[in-house]
Amino acid sequence: MDYNYREIEKKWQQFWAENKTYKTDIDHSKPKYYVLDMFPYPSGAGLHVGHPLGYIASDIYARYKRLKGYNVLHPMGYDAYGLPAEQYAIQTGTHPAVTTEKNIARYREQLDKIGFSYDWDREVRTSDPAYYKWTQWTFVQLFHSWYNKITHKAEPVSTLIAAFEKSGNAGVEAACSDTPVFTAAEWHSMNEPQQQQVLMNYRLAYLADTMVNWCPALGTVLANDEVSDGFSVRGGHPVERKTMKQWLLRITAYADRLLDGLDHIDWPESLKEIQRNWIGRSEGCSAEFAIKGFDQKLEIFTTRADTMFGVTFMVLAPEHPFVEAITTPGCRARVEEYVQWAKNRSERERMTEVKKVTGEFTGAYAINPLNGEEIPIWVADYVLMGYGTGAIMAVPGHDSRDFAFARHFGLPVRQVVSRQGETPVDPSEWEDSYDSKEGVMINSGFITGLEVKEAITTTIRKIEEMGIGYGKVNFRLRDAIFSRQRYWGEPFPVYYKDGMPYTLSEEELPLELPEVDAYLPTESGEPPLARAKNWTTKEGFPLETNTMPGFAGSSGYYLRYMDPRNDREYFSKEANGYWKSVDLYMGGAEHATGHLIYARFWNKFLFDIGLAIEDEPFKKLINQGMIQGRSNFVYRVTGTNKFVSYNLKKDYDVQAIHVDVNIVHNDVLDIQAFIRWQPQFEGADFILEDGKYMCGWEVEKMSKSKYNVQNPDDLIERYGADTLRLYEMFLGPLEQSKPWDTNGIEGVFRFIRKLWKLYHDFDNNFNVSEGAPSAAELKVLHKTIKKVQDDIERFSFNTAVSSFMICVNELTDLKCNNRSILSELTILISPYAPHIAEELWSLLGNSGSVTQVAFPEFNESYIVENTFEYPVSFNGKMRFRLELPLGLPVPEIEKAVVSAPESAKWLEGKPPRKVIVVPGKIVNVVV
């Protein structure tokens, strides 16, 4: 065999492990570079070829940076808590830790086979008590902190208590829940539970009643992205909206900083825009509308106070507390039925549903404070309780969703903004709302004739003068629900005394997960931890039975990697002072509104309390695209067990059925393997074309259900890890999604073997020559050095693979086996194909690893063109090419052409009639 990749790859993986080649320590003599992958949840299915795409790209960059002289931190670990392991535990009784350990072993085996340069001495697992001690520790710090709006940072609750003791809360500017104003005397008159309840309104980690997605079948609260169409994404169980007491993180305190920080980080603009929209900063005003026949006032938030004269109805969110109170007897049955239906829809569904209009009239009316008009109050699920106040003033003339609602229910539409000089048209003739961002106010009382911007400020001033509202900045961002009713998660370091929560001391951490007799909620509906025996403090106080959510452990793992074995502190000042923050973070865009928001909040809090040295955790972020599956299909004649080949199916009534891509080669089905694949296909008949069964194909998401998953282990066995690494990069631009096609990997495999042959003779003996390289060889090498370096710096990994292929082809044509050229090429390709590079580096007589040398230096002088290959024509027909120095005078070019041996045949011993020379272009000899 020409290149024994199985033997060579195993050899070097063992070498790296035994010699700890990628172990990283603080080294102040080198600049640092921190490359991080989003660590995986270790599922039972293991990795498919789509998973390593980002890992391979970041590994190439980490290896490149090492060669460029950087001290590179490139760690890996496991986001080990997750619902799948718990569900498996419920079904089988197997402890989630056992399942997780098994899955991690599988992942580690697969990752090692691909040849990543991870420092495994820094591995972390979120389910390890030594790790989650610091997740619990951070929660304790959050619990004992409040956010000061004057200093714009988190501060100890002790400073807040001191302020209350001195002056009450009237002068305190804090991010907090609604809290009545109290004096110092009133504070001192409160008992401890009452004081603790007040402080709960200020803490950054707090307990409160909140609306949640509750899944009875799973026995837990679900995040919005875990719910679809009223059912859990995992398992398809019904989900209902209900109010529960939950732990929350006051992430809204950091909304402005989370928004402003986006201007100082190098992230994809599309992802930053997702976060901006999720945070949703808007300037406007709060205003109160009286409700006819009731003492309550309906508070709304609007960014367009100028359009208050255009309000023709009000809408409440189904969860709004006023719905039950103000609904009239005649409307109650329909409203209650509607509210129950709407409660089971997630906020995400309600935000994205634009075609279906639903709602019910409550029978109640609000009073417009500016003109005294009575306005009907409706309830509809397009209004969310979690944004603003859960109530809106509807202006259908100038808002598309309000317009659709008004048209559906026959409510009036009124125009209050018009463009300068435009004649208003009857709104009953409109097909959609009127864009009102600019223009002049009409039909609007005291602001009629004003431009929109002036009208907004004038109206807000009027509202403030009337004492019914005030100017306000609002955010769409909600505080993060931080508790789950599950077993497999971090326990809260919290106990209860007199019904109020208190935190354990730092010396008592970690609070480890207890053993339970079952992983289900108790008969009374309490979380699984309530099953644990003696789940109390040593004083007998009950411990919290909820556990933390999946994002708890991933919010600060990048910091723990800096100092993972430190049992005295989260991480040392020295470690954080050296590594600072992540220079390159690689991961999927699907984490934009989850992990990436929470991790930024977590880091900013640790920055505030003097632990993290930088405010933002991830300087540069790249979202790798998805590798899509290439599915194959067979076509069953409906109602039979007969299958017709792809190009013949048009003549039959057929059903398309996904078939395992591993029994299809170049779209030709292995019929015998198919018959054995599933019992239902035994005895199947086939209608073939040219003696073969051709399958159809389609590009889809890679999924087990579509039988299009490619296991990297199989490909490594067949082609080697270096081929897999190169091919995944060769598929296309890193940030774009692209289809997987195993057929294409053959070409990359041929390239690897061709690279090997540069260094070997026909008998596969290592064979390199000494001496000085030729100018042509140097030109090929340095052209490649420049291109590959530029491509890696631009994260254009696919084009660098093309450059390697061109380089090897050109060196092969030159019959190059020069030691100095091939030594540089070995280093150059090592980030992409580390196994073959290590072997070739060793064969070249070097000791140690190729990863520990310097990246080749580009020398521009070697690629400067100093010759030109002239196409030489006789009587207009090109006959041969002649390479001559650039800048050679025309007479010298003529002389060289005429005296060239190739010219003799065409000149036939006669002098040419004329020689036409275009310098640097062509030569034409007329005979």
Side-chain angles (χ1 to χ4, degrees):
M1 183 180 180
D2 50 352
Y3 171 50
N4 189 344
Y5 58 85
R6 292 189 184 94
E7 183 181 299
I8 288 168
E9 291 181 352
K10 188 176 178 183
K11 167 186 169 182
W12 288 104
Q13 287 162 13
Q14 187 174 341
F15 175 90
W16 297 329
E18 289 174 355
N19 290 275
K20 294 189 181 294
T21 303
Y22 306 118
K23 182 173 171 56
T24 309
D25 294 308
I26 291 171
D27 182 353
H28 292 285
S29 69
K30 291 181 176 181
K32 71 94 186 181
Y33 201 88
Y34 187 175
V35 180
L36 183 63
D37 299 302
M38 290 184 185
F39 63 172
Y41 169 71
S43 70
L47 297 171
H48 64 59
V49 292
H51 294 129
L53 178 70
Y55 300 165
I56 294 169
S58 65
D59 192 62
I60 289 169
Y61 203 76
R63 289 174 178 277
Y64 167 73
K65 281 295 190 182
R66 276 194 198 94
L67 296 173
K68 295 295 281 185
Y70 286 82
N71 188 28
V72 177
L73 177 59
H74 188 37
M76 178 50 85
Y78 303 97
D79 195 5
Y81 280 127
L83 189 56
E86 181 153 355
Q87 288 301 106
Y88 186 72
I90 291 168
Q91 294 160 10
T92 66
T94 305
H95 196 290
V98 174
T99 308
T100 302
E101 181 63 41
K102 180 182 173 185
N103 293 348
I104 284 175
R106 170 85 177 111
Y107 264 66
R108 176 62 190 272
E109 179 188 19
Q110 289 186 292
L111 292 169
D112 283 345
K113 282 182 179 178
I114 301 172
F116 293 118
S117 60
Y118 296 130
D119 178 358
W120 283 110
D121 285 355
R122 293 177 181 266
E123 178 193 318
V124 299
R125 302 178 184 188
T126 56
S127 60
D128 179 359
Y131 176 85
Y132 68 66
K133 171 183 178 177
W134 302 106
T135 308
Q136 293 175 336
W137 181 89
T138 307
F139 176 85
V140 171
Q141 310 313 307
L142 286 160
F143 182 85
H144 291 291
S145 299
W146 66 289
Y147 196 85
N148 188 333
K149 286 186 172 181
I150 296 174
T151 60
H152 300 290
K153 62 180 288 194
E155 296 181 3
V157 162
S158 57
T159 63
L160 188 66
I161 294 171
F164 291 168
E165 289 174 342
K166 184 179 179 181
S167 319
N169 70 342
V172 173
E173 290 287 329
C176 61
S177 310
D178 289 337
T179 308
V181 175
F182 56 83
T183 64
E186 287 171 322
W187 171 258
H188 286 293
S189 70
M190 297 178 195
N191 59 30
E192 186 180 342
Q194 288 171 331
Q195 288 182 341
Q196 288 299 320
Q197 188 57 61
V198 170
L199 291 173
M200 194 63 74
N201 292 336
Y202 291 84
R203 297 184 188 277
L204 288 179
Y206 66 100
L207 196 60
D209 289 324
T210 188
M211 189 65 67
V212 298
N213 301 313
W214 172 251
C215 180
L218 296 175
T220 192
V221 169
L222 298 176
N224 284 336
D225 58 2
E226 295 174 314
V227 180
S228 178
D229 296 323
F231 294 90
S232 63
V233 171
R234 182 166 293 279
H237 304 293
V239 174
E240 61 189 59
R241 300 279 291 167
K242 65 185 286 189
T243 300
M244 291 179 67
K245 195 170 283 293
Q246 298 284 297
W247 283 103
L248 295 99
L249 299 184
R250 206 178 297 278
I251 190 171
T252 49
Y254 286 80
D256 267 322
R257 282 170 62 185
L258 288 168
L259 197 60
D260 294 343
L262 293 171
D263 295 332
H264 306 289
I265 50 181
D266 183 8
W267 288 18
E269 197 54 44
S270 58
L271 191 144
K272 291 204 277 190
E273 196 58 30
I274 290 170
Q275 286 211 349
R276 288 189 188 104
N277 292 334
W278 190 259
I279 296 165
R281 188 181 195 276
S282 51
E283 295 184 20
C285 77
S286 175
E288 291 179 341
F289 284 64
I291 303 174
K292 185 180 179 182
F294 292 88
D295 294 333
Q296 293 103 319
K297 300 284 179 66
L298 192 57
E299 184 186 1
I300 60 98
F301 172 82
T302 179
T303 59
R304 294 299 304 275
D306 59 312
T307 62
M308 283 180 72
F309 287 94
V311 177
T312 60
F313 59 98
M314 309 284 285
V315 185
L316 304 183
E319 303 87 357
H320 198 290
F322 283 13
V323 172
E324 186 176 355
I326 68 173
T327 299
T328 60
C331 299
R332 186 168 301 280
R334 290 194 306 277
V335 168
E336 286 179 349
E337 183 182 353
Y338 179 77
V339 167
Q340 187 58 41
W341 171 79
K343 274 172 66 176
N344 293 334
R345 305 188 74 213
S346 73
E347 286 192 2
R348 183 166 293 190
E349 291 172 289
R350 287 160 59 175
M351 288 165 68
T352 55
E353 177 62 81
V354 292
K355 293 181 181 177
K356 187 177 180 183
V357 178
T358 65
E360 287 292 342
F361 178 44
T362 65
Y365 290 84
I367 310 297
N368 189 323
L370 297 188
N371 60 13
E373 189 176 331
E374 293 186 7
I375 312 161
I377 303 175
W378 286 67
V379 58
D381 74 343
Y382 78 93
V383 177
L384 304 176
M385 195 64 215
Y387 180 63
T389 64
I392 66 160
M393 58 175 219
V395 185
H398 305 287
D399 180 274
S400 58
R401 291 197 82 163
D402 292 348
F403 182 87
F405 193 91
R407 280 285 186 263
H408 186 80
F409 290 107
L411 298 166
V413 177
R414 184 180 302 150
Q415 183 177 5
V416 291
V417 183
S418 177
R419 291 188 184 87
Q420 193 83 41
E422 186 178 77
T423 303
V425 179
D426 182 357
S428 65
E429 299 176 13
W430 293 0
E431 293 184 1
D432 201 350
S433 60
Y434 183 94
D435 180 16
S436 61
K437 291 184 181 70
E438 296 178 350
V440 177
M441 306 309 298
I442 60 174
N443 304 322
S444 296
F446 64 90
I447 55 170
T448 296
L450 296 181
E451 293 278 345
V452 164
K453 284 186 179 178
E454 187 184 356
I456 291 173
T457 56
T458 302
T459 306
I460 292 174
R461 192 161 55 245
K462 178 72 170 176
I463 287 168
E464 290 176 338
E465 288 170 3
M466 294 171 68
I468 59 166
Y470 51 91
K472 184 181 180 183
V473 174
N474 206 34
F475 291 93
R476 182 177 288 114
L477 183 68
R478 299 294 93 199
D479 285 340
I481 296 173
F482 199 64
S483 46
R484 298 287 187 268
Q485 294 65 49
R486 298 174 181 162
Y487 173 77
W488 191 231
E490 298 92 342
F492 280 91
V494 169
Y495 66 92
Y496 288 85
K497 185 174 76 172
D498 299 326
M500 293 304 298
Y502 295 82
T503 59
L504 298 176
S505 67
E506 187 175 330
E507 293 71 35
E508 295 172 282
L509 303 181
L511 175 63
E512 296 192 27
L513 267 178
E515 294 296 325
V516 292
D517 59 0
Y519 305 102
L520 292 164
T522 66
E523 289 71 17
S524 58
E526 293 180 273
L529 290 195
R531 294 176 172 274
K533 293 177 181 177
N534 304 318
W535 190 238
T536 61
T537 64
K538 54 182 179 288
E539 297 82 11
F541 295 118
L543 290 163
E544 173 64 76
T545 55
N546 285 306
T547 53
M548 297 185 194
F551 69 81
S554 62
S555 293
Y557 77 110
Y558 49 92
L559 291 164
R560 186 63 179 164
Y561 277 140
M562 297 178 185
D563 198 6
R565 302 296 168 250
N566 191 335
D567 58 1
R568 300 178 307 282
E569 53 192 337
Y570 202 157
F571 45 86
S572 70
K573 281 192 178 298
E574 183 193 14
N576 190 233
Y578 180 75
W579 296 113
K580 293 183 172 65
S581 61
V582 177
D583 295 287
L584 173 64
Y585 198 25
M586 190 81 69
E590 67 272 17
H591 298 290
T593 58
H595 161 64
L596 290 171
I597 287 269
Y598 302 136
R600 293 181 65 219
F601 158 74
W602 196 272
N603 193 85
K604 287 175 188 295
F605 170 71
L606 293 174
F607 175 78
D608 284 356
I609 65 173
L611 212 61
I613 202 168
E614 293 191 354
D615 185 56
E616 286 287 345
F618 314 121
K619 286 180 184 174
K620 182 176 182 64
L621 175 74
I622 293 179
N623 297 135
Q624 81 275 13
M626 184 185 294
I627 289 186
Q628 299 161 306
R630 188 181 186 276
S631 303
N632 280 115
F633 297 88
V634 292
Y635 302 93
R636 178 161 55 193
V637 178
T638 305
T640 73
N641 201 21
K642 183 176 287 187
F643 295 84
V644 60
S645 189
Y646 174 75
N647 293 306
L648 306 176
K649 68 184 177 70
K650 61 183 180 297
D651 300 326
Y652 300 84
D653 178 20
V654 297
Q655 260 179 297
I657 299 172
H658 281 93
V659 63
D660 188 346
V661 293
N662 294 297
I663 58 173
V664 179
H665 306 285
N666 294 322
D667 296 328
V668 177
L669 180 69
D670 182 335
I671 292 174
Q672 293 308 311
F674 176 73
I675 290 170
R676 294 191 301 270
W677 180 45
Q678 291 184 14
Q680 61 175 307
F681 301 133
E682 283 183 31
D685 292 324
F686 299 87
I687 302 173
L688 309 178
E689 49 182 299
D690 300 325
K692 297 176 182 176
Y693 188 97
M694 300 303 298
C695 295
W697 64 272
E698 194 173 307
V699 174
E700 303 178 288
K701 181 180 178 181
M702 200 169 278
S703 160
K704 285 191 293 183
S705 65
K706 301 181 190 302
Y707 302 108
N708 62 2
V709 170
Q710 284 283 349
N711 186 328
D713 299 14
D714 297 339
L715 294 168
I716 289 169
E717 175 62 25
R718 220 150 94 216
Y719 301 106
D722 287 340
T723 298
L724 176 69
R725 289 170 63 103
L726 285 160
Y727 184 55
E728 292 224 1
M729 293 301 95
F730 189 54
L731 281 171
L734 177 63
E735 292 165 270
Q736 291 181 12
S737 291
K738 47 254 175 192
W740 179 265
D741 183 3
T742 304
N743 299 336
I745 202 170
E746 292 282 354
V748 177
F749 187 46
R750 286 194 295 273
F751 160 72
I752 281 281
R753 291 156 69 197
K754 194 168 188 177
L755 171 69
W756 178 262
K757 287 175 182 174
L758 272 179
Y759 301 72
H760 293 79
D761 61 22
F762 288 114
D763 297 319
N764 203 30
N765 297 310
F766 185 72
N767 181 32
V768 294
S769 62
E770 308 298 335
S774 70
E777 291 169 340
L778 286 166
K779 181 179 176 182
V780 170
L781 174 67
H782 284 268
K783 184 176 64 175
T784 308
I785 292 171
K786 178 171 172 46
K787 184 71 168 65
V788 168
Q789 180 168 292
D790 290 350
D791 286 348
I792 292 177
E793 292 284 4
R794 293 184 299 111
F795 302 95
S796 182
F797 300 111
N798 59 313
T799 51
V801 176
S802 299
S803 298
F804 284 128
M805 291 177 171
I806 293 166
C807 173
V808 168
N809 284 339
E810 290 180 350
L811 291 179
T812 300
D813 290 344
L814 291 170
K815 296 182 171 53
C816 172
N817 69 340
N818 179 272
R819 176 182 292 276
S820 65
I821 296 292
L822 297 185
S823 292
E824 298 282 79
L825 177 60
T826 304
I827 301 168
L828 194 60
I829 202 166
S830 66
Y832 282 80
H835 305 89
I836 193 171
E838 290 278 28
E839 182 68 12
L840 293 172
W841 187 247
S842 175
L843 289 171
L844 284 162
N846 301 292
S847 59
S849 171
V850 72
T851 63
Q852 293 161 348
V853 297
F855 193 82
E857 287 288 332
F858 167 63
N859 187 330
E860 191 171 8
S861 66
Y862 290 133
I863 66 168
V864 172
E865 297 289 351
N866 50 21
T867 64
F868 181 74
E869 191 175 55
Y870 282 92
V872 179
S873 299
F874 284 78
N875 292 343
K877 286 190 177 183
M878 206 276 283
R879 299 300 184 182
F880 64 91
R881 292 180 177 276
L882 183 64
E883 189 169 339
L884 296 171
L886 280 171
L888 192 68
V890 170
E892 293 295 319
I893 295 172
E894 291 179 8
K895 184 178 176 183
V897 167
V898 172
S899 60
E902 296 92 337
S903 296
K905 176 181 177 183
W906 309 104
L907 290 171
E908 296 176 340
K910 303 172 187 174
R913 288 176 54 192
K914 188 176 185 182
V915 180
I916 303 166
V917 176
V918 181
K921 296 283 186 182
I922 59 165
V923 177
N924 185 36
V925 181
V926 181
V927 293

